[in-house]
Amino acid sequence: PGATFLDRMIAMVEGADRRKTPNELALAVLLAGLTLIFLIAVVTLVGLGAYSGVDLDPIVLGALFITLIPTTIGGLLSAVGIAGMDRLLKVNVLATSGRAVEAAGDVDTLLLDKTGTITFGNRMATEVIPVPGVRPEAALAAAVMASLADETPEGRSIVELGRNAGVSVDQPTGATAIPFTAVTRQSGLDVGKDSWRKGAVDAVLKDLNLSDGSAPAEFRQAVDRIARSGGTPLAVTQNGVLVGVIHLKDVVKPGVKARFADLRRMGLRTVMITGDNPVTAAAIASEAGVDDYLAEATPEDKMRLIKAEQAKGRLVAMCGDGANDAPALAQADVGVAMQTGAQAAREAGNMVDLDSDPTKVIEIVEVGKQLLITRGALTTFSVANDVAKYFAIIPAMFVVALPSLGALNVMHLHSPESAILSAVIFNALVIVALIPLALKGVKYRAIGAGALL
């Protein structure tokens, strides 16, 4: 108990900690700072009133402080977040909160799972290459036996390859299925004393106590050829003896290379994560046009990579579709799960792409940046508005004792009460007037700093 793959994934998801974004922290500091500044400003008016001979009613001072609290941006933040979620929905992306959309605007590193995200994920077996001394039909039969209990598209394609070649695909009586796990990285079938396995080449060789150098030269050459073509090689064993290698061919989704180039121009670094060997990973990475890749990755490796990037001060987005991606999706600042993926992945992320298109991150980042720009504009206005209210109310409070302040009383307010009432009415009107801007958003256009300067 507690040692299965599912238990490990649950523990890692529960241990994930999605941190607050720099903009979120900055806004919290700004609002708290402004509130403290205005509190100090109001308290100092007590001494100024005593010095000037003006009797300030505590109720008036309390009303002044409440009026000066930056309520405009607070009242519009919800509208800005909801508008961002609505704009994402128009491109078939579901966001769980406005905070997730906001974080997308600051993302600078994008991690993508290969299978099902960059590629279609329906890898098909095209051939089984035997090792020297093993007949081709025997190697194919061993591959079929190792795949009879495998319900994945890859496993079914191996069985179909054998069926087309005339190999029996009936599961023997009393067979025991050996499921694939992220630890063994193998699956297969046991029938009595006989066993068949298929899995990642390095995992199988390690299980056989073979090094790369001690494996047959023809086997190594076949693995290298498959990997360099962008395919995935799977080693096959029968009763603990290496018999061949399966060639699984995967297809990169069309248009991803151009879209990744767009992400690069926006300043995002793309990293492909895969369980494939480094040669296959390099071939797929080159074809897809990503900036970097992590090969032979386990769920723990993905978590370590994300935490390492976050430790450098970067905001990380993760695109994935499998249950083994759930911990990384939960840890990433923006976790985009593919709709066609596992339920665990969709629940761990804070966004779901209904089109299962990893390059949809471009639209997600654009909406996120538009949200940040809109909020920045509204925050600037809110601060200026609060400062203006302060200098509009002060003259009305001291104009009797200090007639020279009448020059600043441009609104011709006759008393503190009328000044505060005017500020409250203005607040109520300006929030309503700014809601359309908050919902529509400030126009965003991707352009480099060099062009702006």
Side-chain angles (χ1 to χ4, degrees):
T4 66
F5 172 75
L6 185 58
D7 290 327
R8 289 171 47 230
M9 293 302 100
I10 292 174
M12 291 174 66
V13 169
E14 290 177 343
D17 180 23
R18 187 170 284 135
R19 59 184 183 166
K20 290 187 176 181
T21 66
N23 272 292
E24 192 176 3
L25 293 173
L27 181 62
V29 171
L30 174 65
L31 295 179
L34 284 176
T35 302
L36 180 61
I37 289 172
F38 286 129
L39 175 62
I40 295 173
V42 170
V43 170
T44 56
L45 292 180
V46 177
L48 181 60
Y51 174 79
S52 305
V54 177
D55 186 19
L56 296 177
D57 190 342
I59 296 178
V60 172
L61 292 176
L64 173 61
F65 174 65
I66 294 173
T67 303
L68 294 177
I69 291 176
T71 54
T72 308
I73 184 61
L76 294 173
L77 277 180
S78 298
V80 174
I82 292 171
M85 295 171 65
D86 180 65
R87 284 193 287 275
L88 278 184
L89 190 58
K90 292 178 181 177
V91 293
N92 279 354
V93 176
L94 294 176
T96 59
S97 67
R99 179 174 173 237
V101 185
E102 172 196 325
D106 278 332
V107 162
D108 46 24
T109 301
L110 171 62
L111 310 183
L112 305 107
D113 181 55
K114 188 207 78 172
T115 305
T117 305
I118 293 178
T119 64
F120 282 108
N122 52 345
R123 297 179 293 184
M124 306 296 291
T126 58
E127 60 178 332
V128 178
I129 306 168
V131 299
V134 177
R135 292 178 293 108
E137 56 269 23
L140 179 57
V144 170
M145 289 296 292
S147 306
L148 287 178
D150 187 352
E151 294 299 326
T152 64
E154 293 88 349
R156 289 195 294 269
S157 73
I158 296 171
V159 174
E160 187 62 27
L161 181 67
R163 179 185 287 111
N164 294 337
V167 176
S168 173
V169 295
D170 295 327
Q171 186 165 313
T173 304
T176 302
I178 307 299
F180 174 88
T181 69
V183 177
T184 64
R185 298 166 65 203
Q186 299 181 60
S187 63
L189 197 72
D190 286 346
V191 182
K193 295 182 179 180
D194 296 321
S195 64
W196 294 266
R197 297 286 187 275
K198 73 175 190 303
V201 173
D202 61 317
V204 171
L205 292 180
K206 182 179 179 181
D207 194 45
L208 298 177
N209 293 320
L210 293 175
S211 64
D212 287 337
S214 61
E218 292 82 356
F219 173 82
R220 298 198 307 270
Q221 291 170 3
V223 169
D224 187 65
R225 175 175 62 82
I226 294 170
R228 291 187 184 281
S229 69
T232 301
L234 294 181
V236 182
T237 66
Q238 181 175 350
N239 295 328
V241 177
L242 188 66
V243 297
V245 58
I246 304 169
H247 181 181
L248 292 180
K249 185 172 178 58
D250 206 348
V251 179
V252 174
K253 293 181 179 179
V256 296
K257 190 166 187 176
R259 300 280 279 175
F260 286 152
D262 292 338
L263 286 170
R264 194 174 298 111
R265 282 191 290 271
M266 295 174 67
L268 269 73
R269 172 173 167 263
T270 53
V271 181
M272 182 187 77
I273 302 177
T274 176
D276 291 335
N277 64 68
V279 178
T280 301
I284 295 291
S286 176
E287 184 179 354
V290 297
D291 298 314
D292 201 356
Y293 64 88
L294 176 65
E296 298 177 346
T298 63
E300 291 83 359
D301 293 331
K302 298 175 186 179
M303 287 285 282
R304 279 193 291 269
L305 178 60
I306 291 176
K307 290 180 178 179
E309 292 289 323
Q310 291 174 335
K312 298 175 184 176
R314 294 173 179 156
L315 261 71
V316 180
M318 170 73 188
C319 290
D321 66 332
N324 61 336
D325 296 322
L329 289 168
Q331 177 65 36
D333 300 290
V334 179
V336 184
M338 302 295 108
Q339 171 64 18
T340 54
Q343 181 178 350
R346 295 195 297 271
E347 292 182 357
N350 50 16
M351 293 187 188
V352 177
D353 178 11
L354 301 180
D355 296 329
S356 298
D357 178 6
T359 61
K360 192 71 69 65
V361 173
I362 293 178
E363 284 79 7
I364 294 174
V365 171
E366 286 179 345
V367 171
K369 289 185 180 297
Q370 184 184 33
L371 185 150
L372 289 178
I373 293 171
T374 302
R375 198 186 68 182
L378 293 174
T379 301
T380 302
F381 173 84
S382 177
V383 173
N385 176 40
D386 290 331
V387 173
K389 283 188 293 184
Y390 179 78
F391 287 103
I393 294 173
I394 294 301
M397 297 178 70
F398 293 96
V399 69
V400 176
L402 303 172
S404 58
L405 289 179
L408 299 177
N409 191 11
V410 294
M411 298 179 66
H412 303 292
L413 302 171
H414 301 291
S415 66
E417 289 79 2
S418 63
I420 292 172
L421 181 61
S422 299
V424 171
I425 295 174
F426 177 76
N427 259 2
L429 294 176
V430 78
I431 289 178
V432 174
L434 289 176
I435 285 178
L437 174 61
L439 295 177
K440 183 179 181 182
V442 176
K443 185 177 180 180
Y444 165 73
R445 182 163 55 96
I447 185 171
L452 288 174
L453 297 175

